[in-house]
Amino acid sequence: MDIWKDLITLVAVVDPIGTIPIYLTATAGMTVAAKRKVAVRATLISAGVLTAFIVVGQIVLNAMGISLSAYEVAGGIVLFLFALQMVFDPGDRAQDADQSRGQDVAV
């Protein structure tokens, strides 16, 4: 039954429902074939990164002497800082999105 707990955690971390608006915004103006290519490429890249962290993550943390609790606290701090930036940053998001054109949207 531990697999269900891990699956629920993975779905919560990846947040497939929350990434739909990001995907739609990033692929606005693309053809259907280009959107499909971006979706497949993004899925393969994210699966590769997740697999690499599953295989190597605990080994690297142990080698550096970092406990899982310390890693969780550091991750919470990083998420908190991102949230603060999103709340208090007066920057224009549309202008930032226009500047990112020309880069691989899937990555």
Side-chain angles (χ1 to χ4, degrees):
M1 285 299 174
D2 199 35
I3 188 114
W4 290 109
K5 180 182 172 188
D6 294 339
L7 183 63
I8 290 170
T9 301
L10 181 64
V11 169
V13 168
V14 174
D15 188 22
I17 303 299
T19 57
I20 291 172
I22 297 169
Y23 169 76
L24 293 175
T25 302
T27 59
M30 291 184 175
T31 64
V32 174
K35 288 182 180 185
R36 185 173 294 119
K37 186 176 178 181
V38 166
V40 169
R41 183 173 166 89
T43 302
L44 291 175
I45 290 171
S46 63
V49 169
L50 284 171
T51 303
F53 276 101
I54 288 171
V55 172
V56 184
Q58 192 64 42
I59 297 168
V60 171
L61 287 177
N62 289 340
M64 293 191 304
I66 300 172
S67 69
L68 189 57
S69 299
Y71 186 74
E72 289 173 349
V73 169
I77 292 170
V78 169
L79 288 176
F80 179 69
L81 292 175
F82 274 119
L84 282 177
Q85 183 180 3
M86 291 172 67
V87 169
F88 293 113
D89 185 20
D92 183 19
R93 298 284 180 219
Q95 183 180 13
D96 294 340
D98 290 339
Q99 291 174 353
S100 68
R101 297 287 182 205
Q103 297 177 357
D104 191 358
V105 178
V107 178

